[in-house]
Amino acid sequence: MRLFTAVTLGETLTAEAERGIERLRAHAPDAKWVRAEGVHLTLLFLGDVDAARLPLLQAALSPVGPRHAPFVLSVGGGGTFGAATHPRVLWADVRGDTAALKALQADVARVLEPLGFTSEHADYTAHLTLARAKKPRGDAALLACARALATESWGEGRVDRLVLFESAGGRYTPRLEVPLERAGRLPDA
């Protein structure tokens, strides 16, 4: 099974992201757009994992929730990754309590490292992937999307759980949900 850890952004922000994605899709109809119901912020991608390891993942991730309080994030603006003239990825900017998000991501990375899972990036940068170019050399149409996205604000969402998702056929199925239960906010690490 192909697994990753993530947080979701609540129903209201997810619904607004769905509307925003539909508006942007008109600018780049050939791009591969994320499904709005799958909107999430990946914390750590685990890759292909044997189902027999799920109990180990559960044991490692379950203690993370009580160490973190729920927090609020917002989404607005954004940009692209890839070549300046033919970007490969369109993303929306994540704002709000990003320090709490980074602390959660670092904790997840720390507890999963002994199980052989390591972060792809040295420094976690929160962003919401919206679309990917289908062509390997990118899609210039994503530039128009980034310009339109610059003035967008999709509101706020409450992050109240850590989720271990399975990815199969473009669909994300929760395999474990860990509520964030700490009262108040964690001090900066």
Side-chain angles (χ1 to χ4, degrees):
M1 43 188 4
R2 198 165 171 80
L3 300 176
F4 64 93
T5 59
V7 295
T8 56
L9 299 170
E11 290 179 21
T12 303
L13 185 50
T14 299
E16 189 57 41
E18 182 175 8
R19 289 187 285 275
I21 288 168
E22 284 308 310
R23 287 189 300 272
L24 294 169
R25 187 186 308 266
H27 296 288
D30 294 333
K32 181 178 180 186
W33 291 86
V34 298
R35 290 186 169 108
E37 68 272 10
V39 168
H40 65 272
L41 297 173
T42 299
L43 300 178
L44 189 66
F45 180 73
L46 308 183
D48 290 320
V49 179
D50 190 301
R53 296 190 75 193
L54 279 175
L56 289 172
L57 292 170
Q58 181 174 0
L61 292 171
S62 291
V64 172
R67 294 194 293 257
H68 297 269
F71 53 93
V72 175
L73 296 174
S74 61
V75 174
T80 60
F81 294 136
T85 57
H86 286 82
R88 292 182 306 130
V89 176
L90 174 70
W91 54 270
D93 193 19
V94 175
R95 303 169 183 153
D97 198 352
T98 57
L101 178 65
K102 286 182 178 191
L104 178 61
Q105 189 278 335
D107 201 5
V108 168
R110 183 184 58 76
V111 301
L112 293 181
E113 188 172 20
L115 299 177
F117 302 105
T118 56
S119 180
E120 299 171 344
H121 309 286
D123 189 27
Y124 179 76
T125 304
H127 66 278
L128 190 61
T129 299
L130 303 176
R132 290 182 172 81
K134 289 182 183 175
K135 299 173 191 166
R137 63 179 281 260
D139 185 345
L142 291 177
L143 292 172
C145 294
R147 284 190 293 275
L149 186 59
T151 59
E152 299 245 351
S153 177
W154 295 348
E156 295 182 336
R158 185 172 189 261
V159 175
D160 62 1
R161 67 193 58 247
L162 164 67
V163 184
L164 176 67
F165 279 107
E166 177 182 0
S167 173
R171 299 234 183 256
Y172 307 129
T173 305
R175 292 295 173 204
L176 172 68
E177 294 190 24
V178 180
L180 304 182
E181 300 175 320
R182 182 177 170 133
R185 199 174 159 265
L186 277 176
D188 293 334

